[in-house]
Amino acid sequence: MAHPTSLEIAAQIEELYGAPLSDLEALARQRPPGMLSALLDGFHRLALAEQSIRHTRHRLVELASAAALFGPAEVTHLLDATRRLAESVAVRDAQAATTAAVLSSLGRTDAPATPGADLPLPPPSPAPPLSASVPH
């Protein structure tokens, strides 16, 4: 199953919030944690997993091409790199799926034309007791 990349997730976040990622990161640092912070965290975790995949792939290629004969040490390094690659792919897939699902559940809305126009009216306050409003 193909999951979105960190670049695709970044583009979706920018589209949703209508601002560049760098501006959104600055905004998220100024506010209490919320949906924007969670989306940015998902993006960063996804990007880190992708970076780990690239690095580990490169390391595996180096290990495989470095020695014609593998001894116990080389086999151990190959197995470790393979395990790390599998972990990074699992993290990437989980993070991409989760972040994409959250993003697909959100939609950009336009600001109301007049402040408070789309907000429901508060319930009426209860009337004061009759005995309190009649002078004695």
Side-chain angles (χ1 to χ4, degrees), residues 6 9-11 13-14 19-26 36 40 43-44:
S6 60
I9 293 291
I13 293 170
E14 289 175 339
L21 207 59
S22 57
D23 292 350
L24 294 173
E25 288 173 344
L36 178 58
L40 292 173
F43 160 73
H44 288 295

Side-chain angles (χ1 to χ4, degrees), residues 19-127:
L21 207 59
S22 57
D23 292 350
L24 294 173
E25 288 173 344
L27 180 64
R29 283 190 295 272
Q30 297 170 356
R31 292 184 173 178
M35 183 56 68
L36 178 58
S37 300
L39 289 171
L40 292 173
D41 182 61
F43 160 73
H44 288 295
R45 289 175 188 267
L46 177 57
L48 184 62
E50 289 173 343
Q51 180 184 359
S52 178
I53 290 169
R54 285 189 300 275
H55 173 75
T56 307
R57 267 194 207 149
H58 179 71
R59 179 71 178 134
L60 276 169
V61 169
E62 284 178 345
L63 289 169
S65 64
L69 298 173
F70 292 127
E74 290 80 18
V75 170
T76 301
H77 291 301
L78 276 169
L79 290 173
D80 183 55
T82 304
R83 179 189 54 80
R84 288 176 189 254
L85 180 61
E87 289 172 353
S88 296
V89 168
V91 168
R92 183 223 30 217
D93 290 353
Q95 198 62 53
T98 301
T99 306
V102 171
L103 276 167
S104 69
S105 73
L106 302 173
R108 186 165 185 204
T109 60
D110 295 327
T114 55
D118 291 344
L119 299 176
L121 294 174
S125 57

